[in-house]
Amino acid sequence: MTTIETEMDQPPKNKVSTATAKIQSSASSFERWGRKHPFVRYGLPMISLTVFGAVGLGHLLQGSKDIAKVKDDQEWEIIETRKALSRTGPVEAYNPKKTTLEEELKALQKKVDINNYEYKRIPKPNEGKSG
């Protein structure tokens, strides 16, 4: 490689040094600015965080209220359609008979006779395996 090619690959040193000097001077001026005006360094970010947080939280709450309103509207529509159906008949057409626990117990006792039973031994879990 010739010296011309190597000079083209690398940026000139004076441009790099001026860029570095600019960055360092801006950083030091920022530090001085923060020392001179502590409100800008500490107060302003805190106040902006508080304000933007409150606005964001209000936005989220409004969204949840909108969703709750939509769900409430849907439930109201379901109730209204159910009332309309009950006026025409299909909802009230099914009338299950009212049964009490005593009636259920008597029906079950008729089905199952607890005095006559057959004893069956339950096998142990590893008894049925062949191994």
Side-chain angles (χ1 to χ4, degrees):
M1 282 183 17
T2 63
T3 55
I4 297 172
E5 289 176 354
T6 55
E7 288 175 4
M8 292 175 92
D9 291 341
Q10 297 175 351
K13 290 185 180 180
N14 60 358
K15 286 185 180 178
V16 173
S17 62
T18 56
T20 307
K22 280 184 182 177
I23 291 171
Q24 287 176 348
S25 68
S26 66
S28 64
S29 69
F30 181 72
E31 288 176 6
R32 269 186 269 122
W33 195 48
R35 277 190 231 122
K36 282 183 184 177
H37 309 285
F39 174 76
V40 174
R41 189 169 184 182
Y42 300 109
L44 197 62
M46 188 64 177
I47 289 174
S48 63
L49 181 69
T50 305
V51 169
F52 288 132
V55 169
L57 190 60
H59 187 69
L60 287 173
L61 287 174
Q62 186 61 41
S64 66
K65 285 180 184 177
D66 292 343
I67 290 172
K69 186 176 185 294
V70 167
K71 282 185 178 179
D72 201 29
D73 290 345
Q74 287 175 348
E75 288 176 6
W76 184 256
E77 287 176 13
I78 290 171
I79 291 170
E80 287 298 315
T81 55
R82 195 157 194 270
K83 283 181 183 176
L85 285 173
S86 68
R87 280 185 228 118
T88 57
V91 172
E92 297 298 325
Y94 173 70
N95 287 324
K97 60 181 181 178
K98 307 277 190 229
T99 58
T100 61
L101 285 176
E102 288 81 15
E103 292 172 357
E104 288 291 325
L105 178 64
K106 287 178 185 175
L108 187 65
Q109 283 175 343
K110 287 179 185 175
K111 287 181 187 176
V112 179
D113 186 16
I114 60 171
N115 296 324
N116 298 327
Y117 62 91
E118 183 180 336
Y119 176 75
K120 292 184 180 178
R121 187 175 168 274
I122 298 173
K124 294 181 181 175
N126 55 2
E127 196 174 285
K129 296 179 182 175
S130 60

